[in-house]
Amino acid sequence: MTNDTICAVSTAPGIGGIAVIRVSGPRAIETIDRHWNGRQLSSVQSHTAHLGTINDTDGQLLDQCIATVFRAPHSFTGDDVVELSVHGSRWVQRRLLELLTESGCRLAEPGEFTRRAFISGKMDLAEAEAVADVIASNSRAAHRIAVNQMRGGFSRRLASLREQLLELTSLLELELDFSEEDVEFASRQRLIDIAREIQREVTRLHQSFTAGAAIKDGIPVAIVGATNAGKSSLLNAILGDDRAIVSNIHGTTRDTIEETIELGDYQFRFIDTAGLRDTSDEIERIGIQRSRQAIARARIVIFVTDSTLPIDIDEISETTHANDDCNDNRHIILALNKSDLPDSRTEAPPIGLEFNTVHLSAKTGAGIDTLRDTLIRCADTEAGNADEDILVTNARHAQALGNATRSIARVTDGLTTGLPGDLVAQDLRETLTHLGEITGDISTTDILTTIFSRFCVGK
Ligand SMILES: Nc1nc2c(ncn2[C@@H]2O[C@H](COP(=O)(O)OP(=O)(O)OP(=O)(O)O)[C@@H](O)[C@H]2O)c(=O)[nH]1
Ligand SMILES: [Mg+2]
């Protein structure tokens, strides 16, 4: 139970039709009542809304508003909460906060309402972080992942992993306790099977971060190819806007240009890059280095070629796999540009199945819809079946899962190679700890402060 009462504007800063001021804590209701003209809020039922007015200290009307009352423990934070919907004037918002703080409320810190919800056991840490993700989501796909996580989908998956780990621990302990009596309670093979299954799932969750982060932040799409192929023209055609400079001079684009656009359920981050060629120009060389970095970070690469010129598939393959460390499975789309020109090739070049090929003209717009559809298809593959496959979108969770992947791998190895049971048990406990960090079963004040300080004020 928290003993101070906090307040903040929960709607976006600025002017709006309505602004919501949220007050939470043991004195929330009585504090509002002190300024409230209308039905006394301390006598109303929980989850009811009331029309009233609030007067300033000089007796003048400040605003007419609706107060919604939620009584502990049935509120977002678990404490008494009043949400005041006022007219969205900056002055009304500011003055109301002043009145509340003068009456003993404290201005809430970023994320403090959600932090209280976590502390009062309303949600675990992963669910609380998902609240921030829902707020930040700017595409249907990102929203779907965040909502699933907020409803506890990810937490349930972690809980079932935890159960499996505990089962494994107890089987192992039985084996330890009776090791001298030559009784076999569970076959080693059974232990190994359970450990492998956990390892598979933890690894899958860890690896899903690449796709999860891409969907949350916008799927990075690098537009690359030789100079003058029409990369900048293609960016402009996709955006429907004259964003990048286009010219028939080779090496027009020097620095990378980034633009975000929503297609289908996804947000994409397009990165137009400097054309790839050998050059002695120092600045262009730096630009080309950046092109290669953009490829390394991309989930999708659109390789643009001038379809009136010969195509070197080996070069395309080499370029799109350049700088690879972990991202080898990115999608590659070969855009055969300038299809409007009479000598453009119409047949697809003989290339591997990993490529998607699209004939298009950045100039006339022909084929751009097909390219959009292809991009959405690639994104669908990234997202997997979002309802069943949980995608990890949070770097902190990914890090914990990475640690858990390593410790569960040691468990499997230890069981396979016949390592003493107490050493294996140690790695099992570590795995449990790493998974516990995600849901907040294991957390410190410092970790909580870091997490919630990234929230907005009023949430
Ligand atoms: N006919 C025709 N011309 C095109 C098409 N797309 C681009 N061009 C022309 O090709 C030239 C190069 O286009 P850009 O978009 O600047 O090419 P880029 O790949 O960005 O070139 P760099 O920035 O130099 O690497 C320009 O003159 C464009 O007008 C197309 O689909 N058809
Ligand atoms: Mg360009």
Side-chain angles (χ1 to χ4, degrees):
M1 187 72 184
T2 34
N3 51 23
D4 57 350
T5 298
I6 54 174
C7 61
V9 178
S10 284
T11 34
I15 306 169
I18 282 173
V20 173
I21 282 136
R22 192 187 252 169
V23 189
S24 171
R27 296 180 54 229
I29 298 173
E30 83 178 61
T31 309
I32 304 282
D33 258 341
R34 239 192 271 172
H35 304 277
W36 179 252
N37 304 298
R39 206 165 145 201
Q40 200 185 17
L41 299 178
S42 52
S43 62
V44 303
Q45 284 192 340
S46 184
H47 294 71
T48 53
H50 306 273
L51 180 68
T53 57
I54 287 198
N55 282 356
D56 208 333
T57 38
D58 59 5
Q60 294 290 317
L61 175 72
L62 182 62
D63 200 3
Q64 187 180 44
C65 44
I66 301 270
T68 313
V69 176
F70 305 89
R71 290 185 184 277
H74 304 293
S75 71
F76 178 66
T77 57
D79 296 329
D80 280 348
V81 171
V82 181
E83 287 182 359
L84 281 176
S85 305
V86 298
H87 293 110
S89 122
R90 281 211 183 94
W91 163 250
V92 170
Q93 295 179 46
R94 200 175 78 212
R95 187 64 198 131
L96 199 49
L97 284 183
E98 279 170 9
L99 287 177
L100 291 168
T101 48
E102 282 161 16
S103 317
C105 293
R106 172 170 66 72
L107 287 178
E109 285 162 24
E112 198 170 359
F113 292 98
T114 317
R115 184 176 182 153
R116 287 190 170 191
F118 165 68
I119 288 170
S120 65
K122 290 271 160 187
M123 53 180 73
D124 71 27
L125 210 45
E127 289 160 356
E129 285 170 299
V131 172
D133 284 354
V134 170
I135 293 171
S137 65
N138 43 21
S139 67
R140 185 198 283 258
H143 175 256
R144 196 168 51 206
I145 297 174
V147 164
N148 185 5
Q149 193 165 328
M150 186 174 71
R151 285 215 199 113
F154 182 36
S155 302
R156 277 194 295 280
R157 186 67 59 90
L158 290 171
S160 90
L161 278 171
R162 194 184 156 79
E163 252 167 51
Q164 282 175 286
L165 281 163
L166 289 174
E167 186 194 347
L168 193 55
T169 311
S170 56
L171 288 174
L172 197 67
E173 271 165 11
L174 268 182
E175 202 184 75
L176 279 177
D177 288 348
F178 294 90
S179 56
E180 267 140 51
E181 296 173 24
D182 213 18
V183 191
E184 196 165 310
F185 285 85
S187 73
R188 264 283 147 137
Q189 193 52 47
R190 166 127 174 77
L191 298 188
I192 294 171
D193 289 347
I194 301 177
R196 286 227 174 97
E197 199 184 314
I198 301 171
Q199 186 177 354
R200 238 190 331 271
E201 179 62 5
V202 173
T203 309
R204 193 199 70 72
L205 284 172
H206 180 230
Q207 287 172 345
S208 76
F209 179 59
T210 314
I215 290 171
K216 180 172 150 188
D217 302 330
I219 300 169
V221 184
I223 306 176
V224 302
T227 55
N228 239 33
K231 300 178 294 301
S232 302
S233 308
L234 183 59
L235 174 75
N236 292 347
I238 295 168
L239 297 176
D241 185 24
D242 256 345
R243 170 69 179 83
I245 299 174
V246 166
S247 87
N248 61 4
I249 302 166
H250 288 255
T252 299
T253 307
R254 296 296 186 91
D255 209 344
T256 48
I257 298 174
E258 207 173 304
E259 277 298 328
T260 308
I261 188 177
E262 212 181 307
L263 300 175
D265 289 352
Y266 306 94
Q267 189 174 53
F268 290 89
R269 234 164 0 98
F270 288 96
I271 304 132
D272 178 24
T273 63
L276 304 167
R277 65 165 173 177
D278 290 330
T279 173
S280 55
D281 184 310
E282 184 55 24
I283 296 173
E284 195 178 352
R285 252 211 309 262
I286 297 171
I288 291 171
Q289 253 172 28
R290 293 192 176 183
S291 306
R292 295 196 187 278
Q293 286 163 1
I295 295 170
R297 284 197 290 264
R299 293 301 306 148
I300 303 175
V301 176
I302 304 180
F303 197 102
V304 186
T305 59
D306 180 333
S307 61
T308 63
L309 301 174
I311 290 172
D312 183 346
I313 292 297
D314 288 342
E315 192 213 324
I316 296 173
S317 190
E318 202 179 303
T319 310
T320 48
H321 290 103
N323 280 330
D324 263 336
D325 28 355
C326 56
N327 246 352
D328 211 4
N329 55 350
R330 66 173 66 89
H331 307 265
I332 298 158
I333 301 173
L334 180 60
L336 300 164
N337 190 28
K338 311 198 183 183
S339 64
D340 55 293
L341 294 179
D343 48 350
S344 79
R345 59 188 299 155
T346 47
E347 82 287 7
I351 50 174
L353 283 174
E354 68 197 288
F355 288 92
N356 298 276
T357 308
V358 182
H359 293 268
L360 54 84
S361 166
K363 189 175 179 182
T364 65
I368 297 294
D369 281 346
T370 313
L371 177 65
R372 286 200 185 103
D373 292 344
T374 310
L375 285 163
I376 292 168
R377 253 203 338 271
C378 293
D380 282 339
T381 321
E382 286 287 283
N385 179 353
D387 293 330
E388 280 172 28
D389 303 345
I390 285 162
L391 290 186
V392 173
T393 56
N394 181 302
R396 190 183 74 80
H397 302 171
Q399 198 182 12
L401 285 164
N403 292 335
T405 307
R406 281 183 287 278
S407 48
I408 189 69
R410 285 197 301 275
V411 172
T412 322
D413 281 354
L415 288 171
T416 323
T417 57
L419 207 67
D422 46 351
L423 293 182
V424 177
Q426 170 66 26
D427 285 323
L428 267 176
R429 274 193 295 277
E430 254 183 53
T431 314
L432 275 166
T433 306
H434 293 310
L435 296 183
E437 284 164 5
I438 300 176
T439 46
D441 296 331
I442 292 148
S443 64
T444 67
T445 314
D446 283 352
I447 294 176
L448 294 183
T449 303
T450 316
I451 292 170
F452 288 106
S453 64
R454 292 200 203 102
F455 279 56
C456 34
V457 173
K459 191 58 237 175

